[in-house]
Amino acid sequence: MKCTKCGKEIKDGVKFCPHCGEEVKEVKKAKFCMKCGSKLQEGAVFCSKCGASISTVQEREAIAKPPKQVKRFKKAYIVAGVAVVLFLVIGSVMLNSDRAMYKAYVKFHDEYCEKNAEYEEDRKSTRLNSSHSTQS
């Protein structure tokens, strides 16, 4: 056990720290569910979050820290979830911008073709008119 004031190691059962004189207060350790990692209420026989059974007193006393694997998996799922959402948002934005660019291109192309067709007709009619006027 460590002293809460100076942090030095002290023996269990002493009332005062031999290094700094601070009164040693018994600190109760929180207990966590082995299945879901949530904090258990004192004297609980079942987990209030997932309903897992804490079958014997020995098992209940042995659970002093939350299992690291449960925490690690929760973090991994959160990170993976955020990555998937971010990927979907960026993908949809890019897809929509590509569609908008394509529509703009098609509109430009159609307008260009119309103007080009008008130009070609004007050019043909101008040639015909100029050739008729030179022949006369």
Side-chain angles (χ1 to χ4, degrees):
M1 177 168 39
K2 289 187 177 185
C3 175
T4 55
K5 184 177 180 184
C6 68
K8 294 188 178 177
E9 196 69 34
I10 55 175
K11 294 180 183 180
D12 290 339
V14 295
K15 294 188 179 197
F16 294 93
C17 176
H19 305 284
C20 68
E22 181 72 17
E23 184 178 1
V24 177
K25 297 173 186 163
E26 188 177 325
V27 179
K28 292 183 179 180
K29 293 183 179 179
K31 295 173 183 147
F32 298 87
C33 177
M34 291 297 284
K35 184 175 179 183
C36 69
S38 63
K39 189 174 180 180
L40 296 172
Q41 295 176 353
E42 196 171 324
V45 180
F46 294 95
C47 175
S48 61
K49 293 250 181 180
C50 69
S53 173
I54 296 125
S55 56
T56 64
V57 176
Q58 290 84 16
E59 284 178 325
R60 278 185 282 169
E61 296 304 320
I63 305 169
K65 294 182 181 178
K68 289 184 181 180
Q69 283 184 334
V70 172
K71 281 188 174 182
R72 213 175 299 146
F73 285 126
K74 281 184 180 179
K75 287 179 185 176
Y77 286 130
I78 291 171
V79 169
V82 169
V84 167
V85 169
L86 192 60
F87 178 76
L88 291 174
V89 168
I90 290 173
S92 67
V93 168
M94 289 177 68
L95 186 63
N96 286 333
S97 68
D98 286 347
R99 284 182 185 158
M101 287 175 61
Y102 178 73
K103 286 180 181 179
Y105 169 75
V106 168
K107 182 178 177 183
F108 170 78
H109 184 266
D110 290 345
E111 289 174 359
Y112 174 78
C113 288
E114 283 179 26
K115 287 180 182 178
N116 194 33
E118 291 172 7
Y119 173 76
E120 289 296 324
E121 285 179 27
D122 286 344
R123 201 170 121 199
K124 284 180 184 177
S125 66
T126 306
R127 277 188 190 166
L128 288 175
N129 289 339
S130 63
S131 65
H132 286 299
S133 62
T134 54
Q135 289 179 0
S136 315

